[in-house]
């Protein structure tokens, strides 16, 4: 049994107009969950028009009104936590333990954070900086935000895009990945039930090249907020440059995981396994490159192998399952071909490196995989795999550790494992990444920003930093003397 995937425009559920049918499938079983018609440019136009029409009233609501609406929204999602967790799990192939413990509570916490943040837009104190004028700062919403999100954490990505925008008084059109639209739609309907006016939040599900492009190129969009791959992000930035649109880019990652020789080996090994296999490795901050100082290296590889052996693959609705499937057979094949290429280039696949058999062969599963002996400049070390694959390499000096950690185009997240405060301090200063964890890898909190350095993009999600990105800063300068001839006019004509 399956349902239909509609679009959500001006508060109404509607089918798409592109004429192109699509289905949302459960990647761990191949079962069809929902079918629909993809959004075309006309649907995007209507969604942008709805957001534009909703903007004047929404932007004039008080911070307290927006805050209260967000609080009710959080309550609606919380009341349906189990349904959100079940749909997200099935649609993505994520174990139910992950969606219950991470995706859904994380989203609820995010809504509650932005309910508070809506009341904390801040600027400078008003003052007479020139002597004769009073200057003040206004923080104003931008208008209609066009958001494009990926498939790896669909609910959380919808939250990260919608919440700061709406909390600051903007209206939004969100295009989720066509692989994973169901929880974004549920999330938007929960906002409607919470009393957020129709048109403030609109969801159009279509492909990147059609609906994504139509949204990015739309003249009535004030800002493009994108999370996805660096390749697509680059294209979007180039396109937005023509219209001087504001762009926010959360792109790929290739997080280093640096283990110094004084580290707690057991903590580091557990951290590496959890940090590389969370969401089957389809996490832009996942641990992907473990650099381990030579004295610990062999023991670390043995311990990680043993812990990976304990990870249970299985049906996503079984609370005992640790790791589900990848998002699609295409993604599984992409991961497999990168591992095969690493093998062909001389790396050693210590464990995994293949799809599991047994009852799992209907789904897009791939075994937890550990690779050693890869060259630093090889694709498996340099490029995003986005699968359950950890590469482990030794290093000798602390200088080497920092140099290797920084030696990819990416800079989203990193971790350093050490009990030495000076090493921890150096790693946090010198590793170029938007987040450096010390003795952990993965945790995020709503109060703190998430975003990249280098080819991982620019702009921050979550935290007050993200709220600021969805506003314009306006300087209002008001003359106080009423004099017709102001002193500065002397540069043009003198007083007479
Ligand atoms: P993707 O291929 O770049 O797609 C992301 C979104 O952009 C999808 O909705 C996609 O639609 C759309 N899109 C594709 N081409 C487009 C175009 N020309 N114009 C407008 N939109 C377009 O990325 P993905 O494969 O879905 O997701 C994985 C990537 O996201 C990884 O690189 C990962 O690191 C990154 N990511 C980053 C963060 C972060 O916070 N930095 C978080 C999560 C994921 P389709 O679905 O039709 O392709
Ligand atoms: Mg894609």
């Amino acid at each position: 049994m399956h349902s239909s995937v509609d679009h959500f425009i001006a508060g109404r559920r509607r089918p798409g107009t592109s004429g192109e049918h699509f289905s949302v499938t459960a990647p761990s079983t191949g079962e069809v969950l929902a079918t629909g018609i993809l959004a075309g440019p006309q649907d995007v136009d209507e969604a942008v028009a709805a957001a534009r029409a909703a903007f004047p009233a929404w932007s004039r609501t008080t911070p307290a009104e927006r805050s209260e609406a967000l609080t009710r929204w959080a309550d609606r999602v919380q009341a349906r936590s189990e349904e959100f967790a079940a749909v997200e799990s099935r649609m993505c192939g994520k174990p139910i333990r992950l969606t219950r413990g991470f995706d859904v509570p994380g989203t609820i916490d995010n809504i509650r954070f932005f309910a508070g943040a809506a009341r904390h837009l801040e600027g400078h104190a008003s003052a007479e900086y020139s002597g004769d004028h009073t200057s003040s700062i206004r923080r104003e919403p931008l208008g209609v935000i066009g958001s494009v999100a990926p498939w790896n954490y669909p609910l959380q990505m919808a939250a990260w895009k919608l919440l700061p925008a709406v909390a600051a008084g903007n209206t939004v059109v969100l295009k989720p990945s066509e692989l994973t639209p169901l929880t974004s739609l549920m999330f938007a309907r929960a906002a409607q039930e919470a009393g957020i006016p129709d048109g403030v939040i609109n969801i159009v599900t279509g492909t990147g090249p059609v609906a994504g492009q139509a949204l990015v190129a739309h003249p009535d969009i004030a800002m493009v907020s994108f999370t996805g791959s660096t390749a697509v992000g680059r294209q979007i930035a180039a396109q937005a440059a023509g219209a001087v649109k504001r762009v926010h880019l959360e792109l790929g990652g290739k997080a280093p995981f640096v283990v110094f020789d004084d580290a707690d080996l057991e903590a580091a090994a557990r951290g590496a396994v959890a940090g590389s296999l969370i969401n089957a490795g389809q996490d832009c901050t996942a641990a992907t490159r473990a650099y381990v100082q030579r004295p610990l290296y062999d023991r670390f590889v043995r311990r990680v192998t043993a812990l990976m052996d304990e990870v249970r693959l299985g049906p996503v609705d079984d609370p005992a399952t640790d790791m589900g499937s990848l998002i699609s057979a295409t993604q599984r094949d992409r991961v497999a071909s990168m591992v095969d290429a690493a093998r062909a280039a001389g790396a050693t696949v210590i464990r995994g490196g293949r799809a599991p058999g047994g009852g799992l062969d209907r789904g897009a599963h791939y075994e937890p995989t550990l690779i050693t002996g890869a060259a630093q400049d090889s694709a498996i070390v340099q490029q995003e795999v986005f699968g359950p694959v950890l590469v482990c390499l030794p290093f000798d000096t602390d200088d080497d550790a920092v140099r290797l950690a920084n030696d990819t185009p990416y800079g989203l997240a990193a971790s350093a494992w050490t009990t030495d405060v000076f090493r921890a301090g150096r790693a946090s200063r010198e590793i170029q990444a938007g987040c450096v964890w010390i003795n952990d890898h993965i945790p995020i909190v709503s109060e703190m920003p998430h975003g990249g350095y280098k080819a991982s993009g620019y702009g921050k999600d979550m935290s007050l930093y993200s709220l600021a990105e969805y506003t314009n800063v306006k300087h209002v300068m008001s003359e106080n003397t009423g004099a017709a001839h102001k002193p500065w006019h002397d540069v043009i004509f003198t007083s007479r």
Side-chain angles (χ1 to χ4, degrees):
M1 207 198 75
H2 66 261
S3 57
S4 76
V5 201
D6 291 324
H7 308 277
F8 190 74
I9 299 173
R12 284 188 305 278
R13 299 180 60 162
R14 306 180 354 184
T17 62
S18 71
E20 203 184 324
H21 291 260
F22 78 115
S23 51
V24 178
T25 56
S28 60
T29 61
E31 179 199 356
V32 174
L33 300 175
T35 56
I37 301 172
L38 289 169
Q42 191 188 322
D43 305 300
V44 172
D45 273 352
E46 285 176 30
V48 173
R52 204 176 163 198
F55 179 73
W58 182 248
S59 62
R60 283 183 210 126
T61 52
T62 63
E65 284 165 343
R66 294 197 294 278
S67 175
E68 282 159 21
L70 264 68
T71 298
R72 291 191 301 269
W73 190 4
D75 293 341
R76 303 300 305 186
V77 176
Q78 191 148 15
R80 299 224 181 115
S81 297
E82 189 51 33
E83 194 190 331
F84 273 98
V87 175
E88 187 84 338
S89 161
R90 240 174 277 142
M91 174 175 74
C92 303
K94 294 172 194 268
I96 189 74
R97 239 176 45 236
L98 177 64
T99 59
R100 276 184 190 147
F102 186 69
D103 301 79
V104 176
T107 297
I108 295 165
D109 186 69
N110 249 270
I111 316 174
R112 296 205 190 284
F113 170 78
F114 281 106
R119 304 183 75 163
H120 285 275
L121 276 174
E122 288 170 351
H124 275 130
S126 299
E128 289 65 48
Y129 298 101
S130 77
D132 289 342
H133 309 78
T134 297
S135 284
S136 62
I137 290 292
R138 294 175 54 79
R139 271 202 179 271
E140 299 179 344
L142 300 167
V144 180
I145 311 298
S147 294
V148 177
W151 43 256
N152 61 338
Y153 290 103
L155 177 59
Q156 291 196 89
M157 292 303 106
W160 290 13
K161 297 285 160 217
L162 294 173
L163 295 170
V166 163
N170 301 278
T171 58
V172 191
V173 177
L174 169 73
K175 188 206 87 63
S177 165
E178 76 274 18
L179 299 175
T180 55
L182 303 181
T183 44
S184 300
L185 286 161
M186 289 165 61
F187 192 51
R189 290 201 293 272
Q192 183 180 45
E193 289 162 11
I196 293 182
D198 293 349
V200 172
I201 293 168
N202 305 275
I203 312 283
V204 286
T205 302
T207 65
V210 177
Q213 270 303 299
L215 185 57
V216 169
H218 203 291
D220 293 337
I221 292 288
M223 166 175 168
V224 181
S225 172
F226 172 78
T227 298
S229 62
T230 297
V232 175
R234 198 173 275 132
Q235 225 176 300
I236 285 175
Q239 205 176 348
V244 200
K245 276 179 196 157
R246 195 183 285 204
V247 182
H248 167 111
L249 298 174
E250 297 289 346
L251 309 178
K254 190 72 189 175
F257 183 104
V258 180
V259 184
F260 290 96
D261 59 12
D262 60 80
D264 177 332
L265 179 84
E266 182 63 14
R270 284 177 178 272
V273 172
S276 62
L277 300 185
I278 184 165
N279 208 33
Q282 303 163 116
D283 182 313
C284 49
T285 65
T288 61
R289 303 178 283 140
Y291 296 106
V292 184
Q293 208 154 15
R294 196 85 59 183
L296 284 191
Y297 181 75
D298 288 337
R299 276 192 291 153
F300 181 85
V301 169
R302 276 199 304 277
R303 188 63 186 135
V304 167
T305 309
L307 287 168
M308 281 187 172
D309 286 343
E310 289 179 21
V311 171
R312 290 161 299 191
L313 275 64
V316 294
D317 54 0
D318 181 348
T321 293
D322 298 320
M323 205 177 96
S325 71
L326 302 196
I327 190 66
S328 64
T330 309
Q331 182 67 9
R332 195 236 357 250
D333 294 348
R334 211 183 133 257
V335 170
S337 74
M338 288 187 79
V339 172
D340 293 345
R343 223 188 240 121
T348 305
V349 178
I350 298 281
R351 88 167 305 288
R354 57 176 184 187
L360 297 174
D361 41 18
R362 273 166 59 229
H365 295 83
Y366 197 75
E367 285 192 10
T369 298
L370 180 64
I371 293 178
T372 60
Q376 174 62 25
D377 62 358
S378 64
I380 201 80
V381 176
Q382 293 291 323
Q383 295 171 15
E384 215 177 11
V385 178
F386 234 54
V389 178
L390 178 67
V391 178
C392 193
L393 300 170
F395 72 88
D396 292 304
T397 67
D398 288 21
D399 286 351
D400 291 342
V402 170
R403 181 179 51 78
L404 291 165
N406 286 332
D407 179 32
T408 74
Y410 296 110
L412 189 59
S415 64
W417 297 74
T418 177
T419 51
D420 178 327
V421 289
F422 301 107
R423 279 175 153 168
R426 182 177 178 194
S428 34
R429 285 190 305 277
E430 295 185 15
I431 295 180
Q432 297 158 349
C435 173
V436 177
W437 288 286
I438 304 295
N439 295 321
D440 208 342
H441 195 112
I442 290 297
I444 51 176
V445 287
S446 299
E447 290 82 354
M448 287 289 127
H450 167 90
Y453 278 33
K454 296 159 65 183
S456 294
Y458 40 80
K460 300 294 180 191
D461 282 327
M462 305 197 293
S463 76
L464 289 173
Y465 293 97
S466 82
L467 194 66
E469 295 205 0
Y470 291 90
T471 64
N472 256 327
V473 174
K474 180 185 281 177
H475 172 206
V476 178
M477 194 176 201
S478 178
E479 210 276 343
N480 293 330
T481 68
H485 190 88
K486 322 235 190 269
W488 76 267
H489 291 176
D490 286 353
V491 299
I492 301 298
F493 53 89
T494 52
S495 173
R496 52 184 166 263

